[in-house]
Amino acid sequence: MAKLILSLEGQAIREVELNKERVTIGRKPHNDVQIENLAVSGEHATITTILNDSFLEDLDSTNGTLVNGSPVKKHVLQNGDVIEIGKFRLEYLNPQATQAAPDFERTMIMRSPLAGAPKTAAPAQDFSKTSIEKEPLVVERPLPHPTPAQPVEQPPTAAPTAKPAVIQVLSGANAGKELELTKSLTSLGKPGVQVAVIAKRPHGYFITHVQGASFPLVNGVALDNQPHPLNDHDIIELAGIKMEFFYK
């Protein structure tokens, strides 16, 4: 199980097992990891764990969050990463963490106009900022016919991989926009209101609730705390926006 080692000036203070999906870090008493120091914001950061992977998100803290000496907003944690919050250090230990995982997609902000608010030009949405990684072209060549003296050698069985998938927004200001799910983790929603994460796994895609008092809906049914597998053409309702999940 993944865990954190909290230390100050080289002295270990506490060991925290990441045995729940969402762990909060901050100065206020309600946090799972409370750090009573003025350099730490009341609600400083969160760590969300899905299967064997954990990702860190800074909650717009005053003094920021560092990982291995570099400031981060969102970061997929690797075994041995050191999180720095003020003068405190949290070492992330998880030998089963996915190796060399890329940072997950930025949260797709889905804004809806407020009633009675004046209409202004909408800022560029995160869809336009998302870099699309093209899938490599795979050319299948026919195997040569074996001679009678040659036994047919069976190729090794490759591990199954998830087919490319897309999220298309069906309502709101971004209706019609599409987001390719090319990253290991893609977060969707409105930070502070409702956020979910879609994880790309070898056997498919799974959606997990991360933040918010209410849970996202899939085909009209509310999720729970467990990862939920997504099927072709499932309809997701998140932060008041409807989206369709489908395979390319």
Side-chain angles (χ1 to χ4, degrees):
M1 178 181 295
K3 62 182 179 181
L4 299 171
I5 305 296
L6 174 65
S7 64
L8 176 64
E9 297 179 350
Q11 297 295 318
I13 300 173
R14 180 183 172 191
E15 181 177 304
V16 181
E17 289 190 350
L18 299 180
N19 54 8
K20 55 189 293 188
E21 183 179 287
R22 187 171 184 265
V23 170
T24 60
I25 304 169
R27 191 180 69 252
K28 293 182 179 179
H30 66 264
N31 289 285
D32 299 296
V33 181
Q34 184 187 10
I35 303 176
E36 297 184 69
N37 187 279
L38 292 178
V40 181
S41 296
E43 295 175 350
H44 198 102
T46 64
I47 295 178
T48 301
T49 300
I50 301 173
L51 301 179
N52 290 330
D53 294 325
S54 301
F55 62 90
L56 169 74
E57 181 170 4
D58 180 87
L59 299 177
D60 294 325
S61 62
T62 301
N63 295 313
T65 303
L66 305 180
V67 174
N68 303 327
S70 300
V72 299
K73 294 298 290 182
K74 298 179 181 180
H75 178 79
V76 178
L77 290 167
Q78 301 294 296
N79 184 39
D81 277 353
V82 176
I83 305 166
E84 297 177 58
I85 297 178
K87 294 182 179 180
F88 291 81
R89 293 160 61 94
L90 297 103
E91 184 178 5
Y92 176 75
L93 299 177
N94 181 10
Q96 296 181 336
T98 303
Q99 296 300 309
D103 282 355
F104 58 87
E105 298 276 9
R106 69 170 65 208
T107 302
M108 180 177 66
I109 309 298
M110 296 178 293
R111 300 180 179 85
S112 55
L114 299 174
K119 293 184 179 180
T120 57
Q125 302 299 323
D126 282 348
F127 285 108
S128 62
K129 298 178 182 178
T130 302
S131 59
I132 305 300
E133 297 178 358
K134 299 296 183 182
E135 294 291 334
L137 178 64
V138 178
V139 180
E140 296 184 358
R141 296 182 175 85
L143 296 174
H145 294 288
T147 63
Q150 282 183 310
V152 177
E153 183 176 343
Q154 296 295 331
T157 302
T161 57
K163 296 185 294 183
V166 172
I167 287 288
Q168 183 179 47
V169 181
L170 302 179
S171 64
N174 289 320
K177 297 287 187 179
E178 292 186 358
L179 175 66
E180 292 189 36
L181 302 176
T182 58
K183 301 291 185 180
S184 298
L185 296 170
T186 303
S187 56
L188 305 170
K190 294 180 180 179
V193 178
Q194 192 177 45
V195 176
V197 169
I198 296 179
K200 181 181 180 183
R201 301 294 175 190
H203 296 282
Y205 294 79
F206 294 78
I207 184 171
T208 304
H209 173 74
V210 173
Q211 186 181 44
S214 60
F215 288 79
L217 304 180
V218 175
N219 300 326
V221 178
L223 301 181
D224 54 21
N225 285 319
Q226 300 302 314
H228 179 83
L230 288 171
N231 298 312
D232 199 18
H233 298 295
D234 274 352
I235 302 298
I236 303 167
E237 295 181 54
L238 178 66
I241 302 296
K242 286 189 176 182
M243 296 167 278
E244 182 180 4
F245 168 88
F246 61 91
Y247 288 103
K248 295 177 64 177

